[in-house]
Structure formats: structure tokens, C-alpha cells
Amino acid sequence: MSMVKTDLVKSYENFSVVQHPQSERLYHIELKDEAVTAFLEKHRNTISQQLEYIPYMRYVIAKDLKQVLGEEFSKVINEVLHDREFGGFTLGIGKLTSSDEDYVKFSTAITHLIGGVNFDAMSGKYYARFTVKDTDNSDSYLRQAYRLFTLHTDGTFVNEPCDWLLMMKFAEENAIDGESRLLHLDDWEELDYYTNHPIASTKIPYKSPASKNVSQTVYNDTFFEHNGKPCIQFIDQFACPDTIEQAEYLKSMSESMENSTAVVELNLPVGDLVVLNNTFWLHGRAAFEKHPDLHRELLRQRGYFKKV
């Protein structure tokens, strides 16, 4: 039986909501072409540099997107993200534009209907754009195409809330495999075992590599509770446990999640984005098939829910 709430799955004036074809935990939102075109036309002369230099402009374009799509759009996406049963959606504008500038503006409008963004120290901006290609000499798995990028949550090595995550695909050529891998915490078969383990509430040190441009050490409980439900903070690459027992727990937990039958391999076309509640959705990436001209570019934004 479908989990999707029928009161959300319907057509609105300028958009419609359907169950995502790959997961009952996700929605897909189809936007009316004329509404998207009106938004892009209104901000034809807005450039991404303005959004970087003038923070209030990010909320201005969010207001304009809400005006063209309707008040219901903002209500729907926030309801979805806060709903523990779901917590994620996809949508896109790739059939109307292939402009990087349009993608930055549109994704920024979406995120600022949700809340505020965290500064991304890796890029020195409120968002990061990064490429995956055949060769790489980085110090993390983010850009390493032929390795499994294991399931994790974002923001583990910064001392600020990271409630949600947006990823948008800007470009892709010669890419076989490399799908985004997602896991909703409540679908993980061994959730109870790992949340009830004594080390689940032990504070684990997290340190980022040099490329992240963050030098502090952050101490995280692997699991914490919100609204009576377990949430998670974890990434294997940056966890620096203090004991053998902690290391064994984290390794076993990561392997259990990777082997879960509930992992979704998400198909995300160019120009589409996915937004997830970062406290109970984990994400990663499958390895790509080897190709000398592999190229994929993604944008990432992450941040906190707006105060209500």
C-alpha cells in the first residue's frame, strides 16, 4: 500500500505533486512551464554573484518564485521535508533551460523557501559546485568517481545545524552508473540494534580533510532524538573514534546500511534537484563505470529550517 498522503498528491494551479516512481518515501513535483518561465524571465538580469554578495537577494528571489508558483508550493515542500514518513522530493527545470546561472538562481529560491543556508567553507560561498571526472587527486571520496561514496549525512564536521540538503545536477557526459544512493532511516532493517547500542550516544570526534577548509573538531552523538524518533549524524571518512570499540561499531553500522535492501538508487536527470531532510535521510553515490571522458557537475546547498 502506498504511504503517500493523498491530500498532497494532487494538481495545484501552477504545479502538481505525485509519488516518486522510485520510492514511496519521496514525492516528485511537476512545475507548470509558464510559471517557471515567468520566474526566469523576471530574474533574467540577476546574476549569481549578486546572490553571493547580497544575502537578502536570495530571499527576494525566493519570494518571486513563491509568487509565480503560489503560496501552496512553499507550504507543500516544507510539509514534505518536516514529515518523518517522507522528508524528500525531486523537481526540475531542465526541459526549459540549461543555463548554469538559471540553475543557481532556481535552486537558491527553493532553499530560501525552506530556511537559511550554511556557509560552505569548501567553496567559500553559500553553495558549492563540484565536478566528478576520470582523474582526481582530492582528499575525500566526493570527487573520486570509481569508488563507492558511502552513505552519510552532511554537516558532521561543522558546529551548526544542517537540517536539509539540496543537490542539483548541472551537467553529465559519458556517465554510466554513479547513481545517488539514498536510505531513509526508518527503512533500515537494523536501526533498532544500532540506536540501542551503548556507543550510539557516545560523542565521536569529527575532523575534516584540508579541502573542506574547516579546522575545528566537532563531537557528535551518532544518534540523537527529535520528536520521539531517532536521527543520525555520520560519515565514515571524517569520524575519528577514540577506541577500538567505537571503530568497530561505526564500521559495522556503515556496512549494515550499505547492505540494506531499502537503499534507493535515484535517477536524477540534468536540471533536476533533490531535497532531503538531512537528519533521517542518508545519501551516497554508486561507483561510475570507467570512462576517460566522464564528466558530472553537481551543485550542493545545505542549511537549517526557517524559524516558525
Side-chain angles (χ1 to χ4, degrees), residues 1-280:
M1 181 181 295
S2 174
M3 299 168 49
V4 173
K5 294 180 179 177
T6 55
D7 60 334
L8 288 183
V9 177
K10 62 181 181 181
S11 294
Y12 300 79
E13 183 178 358
N14 290 305
F15 67 98
S16 59
V17 180
V18 299
Q19 179 179 315
H20 196 283
Q22 291 185 268
S23 172
E24 291 188 346
R25 294 283 193 184
L26 296 172
Y27 292 94
H28 180 67
I29 302 175
E30 291 284 351
L31 308 177
K32 291 284 184 66
D33 290 355
E34 53 267 32
V36 175
T37 300
F39 168 77
L40 296 177
E41 185 60 32
K42 184 174 180 64
H43 286 283
R44 178 181 295 276
N45 296 322
T46 302
I47 60 174
S48 58
Q49 188 181 69
Q50 288 176 271
L51 304 180
E52 296 164 22
Y53 289 1
I54 309 172
Y56 67 70
M57 280 297 298
R58 305 168 200 169
Y59 288 100
V60 170
I61 66 169
K63 177 209 69 173
D64 291 335
L65 183 63
K66 183 162 66 172
Q67 284 182 339
V68 301
L69 291 176
E71 183 70 32
E72 296 106 331
F73 178 76
S74 180
K75 291 179 180 177
V76 166
I77 63 173
N78 280 282
E79 182 175 342
V80 168
L81 290 174
H82 284 274
D83 191 330
R84 175 70 183 216
E85 293 295 314
F86 307 99
F89 63 87
T90 61
L91 55 81
I93 59 171
K95 64 181 180 179
L96 296 175
T97 177
S98 59
S99 162
D100 289 4
E101 285 285 297
D102 287 344
Y103 290 170
V104 172
K105 289 180 281 190
F106 180 74
S107 62
T108 298
I110 293 289
T111 58
H112 286 74
L113 292 176
I114 299 166
V117 293
N118 295 337
F119 177 72
D120 199 307
M122 186 180 82
S123 66
K125 303 176 183 180
Y126 72 92
Y127 65 91
R129 288 174 60 177
F130 53 90
T131 58
V132 179
K133 53 187 180 180
D134 181 54
T135 57
D136 172 76
N137 60 358
S138 67
D139 55 8
S140 79
Y141 291 158
L142 179 64
R143 295 185 179 90
Q144 294 185 18
Y146 306 121
R147 292 180 181 270
L148 173 70
F149 190 7
T150 45
L151 292 163
H152 62 283
T153 60
D154 269 27
T156 55
F157 55 83
V158 293
N159 194 20
E160 59 186 339
C162 187
D163 298 326
W164 54 262
L165 167 73
L166 175 147
M167 295 177 288
M168 186 172 191
K169 187 176 290 184
F170 272 40
E172 186 170 77
E173 295 91 32
N174 304 304
I176 301 174
D177 299 328
E179 293 86 358
S180 294
R181 301 175 72 248
L182 310 178
L183 177 63
H184 191 289
L185 207 56
D186 293 344
D187 294 332
W188 176 29
E189 298 87 345
E190 296 188 284
L191 173 64
D192 287 347
Y193 171 78
Y194 286 98
T195 56
N196 291 315
H197 194 284
I199 294 177
S201 57
T202 299
K203 292 196 178 297
I204 303 293
Y206 279 82
K207 301 176 184 180
S208 65
S211 66
K212 304 299 184 183
N213 297 321
V214 176
S215 58
Q216 70 187 122
T217 299
V218 174
Y219 296 84
N220 292 325
D221 297 339
T222 302
F223 291 97
F224 63 98
E225 189 174 292
H226 180 66
N227 292 334
K229 295 282 190 175
C231 298
I232 188 169
Q233 300 176 93
F234 173 71
I235 182 169
D236 58 358
Q237 297 172 69
F238 310 144
C240 301
D242 293 318
T243 67
I244 290 174
E245 291 76 17
Q246 292 173 10
E248 289 180 328
Y249 169 77
L250 294 177
K251 180 176 183 292
S252 174
M253 183 187 74
S254 179
E255 290 173 347
S256 173
M257 291 189 295
E258 295 300 329
N259 292 323
S260 171
T261 60
V263 171
V264 177
E265 294 204 341
L266 185 71
N267 177 33
L268 194 68
V270 171
D272 273 28
L273 59 82
V274 58
V275 186
L276 301 169
N277 188 309
N278 188 57
T279 68
F280 55 80

